[in-house]
Structures are given as structure tokens and as C-alpha cells.
Amino acid sequence: MADNSKKSVVKKLAADVKRDNERGARVNLIEELFFDFNRSKSQVFWMNFQRGIFFGVGSLVGGTLVIVVFGWLLSSFVDLPGGVGEFVKNVLEAMNRPR
């Protein structure tokens, strides 16, 4: 029994070493590819700055579209009976009221 448990421990350690070696090789490959495409830090900073600008503009446009679609869907529920239509109408008026 002790011999079998030693073999299983050795197999587990061998599998762990193999997995760690593969992970390290992948990380090194990704780092090499990154540094091949981006040789200077200024390029990386400029690219990340542009990416941030586009992300911010895209979030603003996307959020605006979601709010417009939500308002349009709410306006279709104004004619519902049972007080729901009145509630929706009040919500739409509050959204359209200038501050």
C-alpha cells in the first residue's frame, strides 16, 4: 500500500510540474508577442489612453440608447388600466421635466 501511495504522489507531482511548465510557457509566449508589437512604453500608454477614450464614449452612447429605448417602451404602457398607466405617465413626466 505504501508503494502505491508513493507512486500516486509522484504522479501527482509530475502532473503539477507539467501543468506549471505549460502555464509558464504560455505566459512567456504572450509576453513575447506583446513586446514584439509594442516596443516602447509610450506606445503602450498612448494605445491605452485611446482605448479609454473610446470605451468612455461607447459607454455614454450605449447608456443613452438604453435610456431612450426604456422611455419608449414605458410610453407604450401609458394606456394600461388599473393605475399602471397613470403611474407610467407620472414617471414619463418626471423624466421629461426640466430641473
Side-chain angles (χ1 to χ4, degrees), residues 42-80:
S42 63
Q43 268 185 327
V44 173
F45 292 145
W46 179 246
M47 180 180 60
N48 284 334
F49 175 74
Q50 288 177 332
R51 190 172 150 226
I53 294 293
F54 283 114
F55 179 79
V57 170
S59 297
L60 180 71
V61 170
T64 303
L65 288 175
V66 166
I67 290 172
V68 166
V69 168
F70 181 69
W72 176 72
L73 285 174
L74 271 179
S75 68
S76 67
F77 292 115
V78 170
D79 296 330
L80 289 176

Side-chain angles (χ1 to χ4, degrees), residues 70 74-75 77-95 97:
F70 181 69
L74 271 179
S75 68
F77 292 115
V78 170
D79 296 330
L80 289 176
V84 175
E86 189 65 32
F87 173 73
V88 171
K89 187 176 177 184
N90 290 337
V91 169
L92 289 174
E93 286 175 3
M95 287 174 61
R97 186 179 315 133

Side-chain angles (χ1 to χ4, degrees), residues 7-21:
K7 285 182 181 180
S8 66
V9 169
V10 169
K11 283 184 180 181
K12 182 182 180 317
L13 288 174
D16 289 346
V17 168
K18 181 180 176 184
R19 186 187 71 239
D20 289 343
N21 284 339

